[in-house]
Amino acid sequence: MLNGAFDHSFSRACAMNIDNGFVGLWDVKTGKLLKHETMKFVVSVEHYQDHFLVLRHDSLNYYDYDLNLKKKISVKDLKLENKFFYGPHTGII
């Protein structure tokens, strides 16, 4: 199952594959894969404000538009106003 999000200018796309945990960053204009990594238990990729959010079964990870990890919040440490609900392919904050 695939899921993805664009940055604010639609010049980069971050996409994931739930089956193998692949998360990649693409240049939309050229179609070139810029960066990728494999994450266990990845659920969804979303765009939120100036970040890509990668939802995993145990955490919510904030990445910049170069796919560098900026912040990681454990599910058990989320404050009530930041609680999220997710299905098999989407995350809602």
Side-chain angles (χ1 to χ4, degrees):
M1 184 178 303
L2 297 174
N3 178 247
F6 291 95
D7 68 1
H8 65 283
S9 66
F10 295 97
S11 62
R12 291 184 177 198
C14 184
M16 52 76 64
N17 183 324
I18 198 169
D19 296 325
N20 61 12
F22 177 88
V23 177
L25 178 69
W26 280 267
D27 180 300
V28 174
K29 188 174 183 179
T30 66
K32 182 178 178 182
L33 179 63
L34 302 173
K35 188 173 183 180
H36 71 281
E37 64 180 271
T38 302
M39 301 178 194
K40 290 185 178 182
F41 308 112
V42 64
V43 175
S44 180
V45 172
E46 304 291 333
H47 176 250
Y48 177 72
Q49 294 179 350
D50 60 346
H51 293 88
F52 286 124
L53 299 179
V54 177
L55 179 62
R56 297 181 59 205
H57 80 289
D58 63 346
S59 63
L60 180 62
N61 301 334
Y62 290 74
Y63 287 84
D64 65 14
Y65 292 141
D66 292 321
L67 207 57
N68 297 312
L69 182 63
K70 293 299 179 185
K71 185 176 181 182
K72 181 177 182 176
I73 303 174
S74 171
V75 168
K76 64 182 178 184
D77 294 333
L78 284 172
K79 295 179 182 174
L80 184 59
E81 65 269 16
N82 294 329
K83 287 288 184 185
F84 58 91
F85 305 94
Y86 58 90
H89 66 280
T90 188
I92 300 171
I93 302 225

